[in-house]
Amino acid sequence: MQVIQSLEALRAVLADYRDAGDRTALVPTMGNLHRGHLALAEQATRLADHTVVSIFVNPTQFAEGEDYKTYPRTLDKDTLVLKRSGVDIIFAPSVSEVYPFGQSAATRIHVPEIGDDLCGRHRAGHFDGVASVVCRLLFMVQPHVAVFGEKDYQQLQLLKRLVSDLSIPTQIESAPTVRESDGLAMSSRNQYLSEAERGIAPELHATLQAAATMLAAGEADFDRVEQRAIERLEEAGFKTDYVAVRDAATLTPPLAASEAFVVLAAGWLGSARLIDNVVQPNPRFAD
């Protein structure tokens, strides 16, 4: 496995892969890897001949006052972990390598509608930063396939739209959310939780499961489903940004004709902002 920091060196290796007719997969990460990231890498190795894992803490997706400066940077540990996963390349560029003209002069990409709702309303500019950096990484690596986790459901749908809209020849694949034994979705930000907050955190997934159960039982008052979930989370100690029922395919407000729903939530426990989602098929279409 190689650790590469320059685009020039990366392209030299990737050119050899292309000349051999091999498929390449990309797994974009910000490092501080956990089992969820490793599941993405393992899926990527099954989909391609060579796998690139990028490790880059992207400054443009952090709003002012967020944790960009304190976000854990653990490249040495991540390298040791990935050596056992079948990954061929860690691409760990500097900020200047990704943004050669500086952040303020960088070309930015905005994905309307999907990027403006939910987390987009609560984290100004976040999805512009995500879309812009992923687009840059896709052009740098030019992978046949890129793998993203389903925990970041809105991000996943946004990137599918981005690739389709810009005719980028990369297939976007998703991997299921990896959870702790108590249901908490794995996240690098879970380490921000205090011991007491860690005990409360699984309530996020449990609340979404309860909301999905209501939908499975035929509940069509989506506002009621959302409000019940918000009340439950806030009683548990969360400061809720949102709970939303959406059409699982489009992230638009759900309809009776939606084939499946997704219940998404974001909330704060202390300094940790947690997100999660549960997909529920519409019972109207059950066999």
Side-chain angles (χ1 to χ4, degrees):
M1 186 182 73
Q2 303 180 66
V3 179
I4 297 176
Q5 295 181 310
S6 77
L7 178 57
E8 181 180 6
L10 176 69
R11 284 178 168 164
V13 177
L14 294 176
D16 290 339
Y17 294 166
R18 282 193 294 273
D19 290 345
D22 292 343
R23 284 173 55 85
T24 302
L26 170 66
V27 180
T29 81
M30 293 203 300
N32 195 30
L33 303 180
H34 51 68
R35 283 195 288 118
H37 294 114
L38 296 183
L40 301 181
E42 289 164 5
Q43 180 163 327
T45 63
R46 295 192 293 270
L47 295 171
D49 302 296
H50 304 283
T51 297
V52 179
V53 173
S54 63
I55 295 179
F56 178 66
V57 183
N58 175 40
T60 67
Q61 68 190 68
F62 290 79
E64 186 174 351
E66 291 189 342
D67 57 339
Y68 172 68
K69 291 184 179 179
T70 59
Y71 194 88
R73 291 156 170 85
T74 57
L75 181 59
D76 290 343
K77 178 177 74 69
D78 295 340
T79 301
L80 291 174
V81 169
L82 288 173
K83 278 184 177 178
R84 301 188 293 269
S85 67
V87 168
D88 297 274
I89 296 173
I90 293 175
F91 180 45
S94 65
V95 172
S96 61
E97 193 77 20
V98 176
Y99 299 104
F101 299 104
Q103 295 174 53
S104 61
T107 300
R108 297 179 69 87
I109 295 175
H110 176 68
V111 182
E113 299 179 353
I114 291 179
D116 297 332
D117 195 11
L118 304 172
C119 282
R121 283 189 286 110
H122 291 273
R123 299 185 68 189
H126 170 68
F127 283 123
D128 288 358
V130 170
S132 298
V133 76
V134 170
C135 194
R136 288 168 183 270
L137 290 169
L138 292 178
F139 284 130
M140 288 175 172
V141 179
Q142 299 179 35
H144 296 82
V145 60
V147 184
F148 297 88
E150 293 173 1
K151 178 179 74 73
D152 298 295
Y153 194 90
Q154 184 179 9
Q155 172 181 281
L156 176 63
Q157 302 307 314
L158 178 138
L159 295 174
K160 287 180 178 179
R161 173 73 65 85
L162 167 72
V163 165
S164 177
D165 195 20
L166 298 184
S167 302
I168 298 174
T170 297
Q171 177 184 352
I172 301 297
E173 290 285 340
S174 65
T177 302
V178 177
R179 300 184 180 277
E180 304 286 359
S181 59
D182 57 10
L184 177 64
M186 289 193 173
S187 170
S188 297
R189 289 188 168 98
N190 288 350
Q191 63 190 282
Y192 297 164
L193 297 167
S194 69
E195 184 176 351
E197 291 161 354
R198 177 61 184 82
I200 297 168
E203 183 65 17
L204 179 59
H205 183 54
T207 297
L208 295 183
Q209 287 181 308
T213 298
M214 292 177 67
L215 296 172
E219 177 62 73
D221 186 341
F222 304 120
D223 290 340
R224 181 168 177 263
V225 174
E226 294 170 355
Q227 189 56 40
R228 273 201 176 186
I230 290 171
E231 291 171 357
R232 176 170 170 171
L233 287 173
E234 297 195 345
E235 286 175 5
F238 279 84
K239 180 182 177 184
T240 307
D241 275 355
Y242 65 83
V243 174
V245 180
R246 293 287 189 267
D247 183 290
T250 64
L251 283 185
T252 54
L255 303 171
S258 296
E259 291 188 10
F261 308 114
V262 59
V263 191
L264 310 101
W268 293 84
L269 279 177
S271 62
R273 186 178 189 270
L274 306 180
I275 63 172
D276 205 347
N277 66 86
V278 172
V279 175
Q280 174 59 51
N282 189 335
R284 290 186 57 191
F285 299 99
D287 293 333

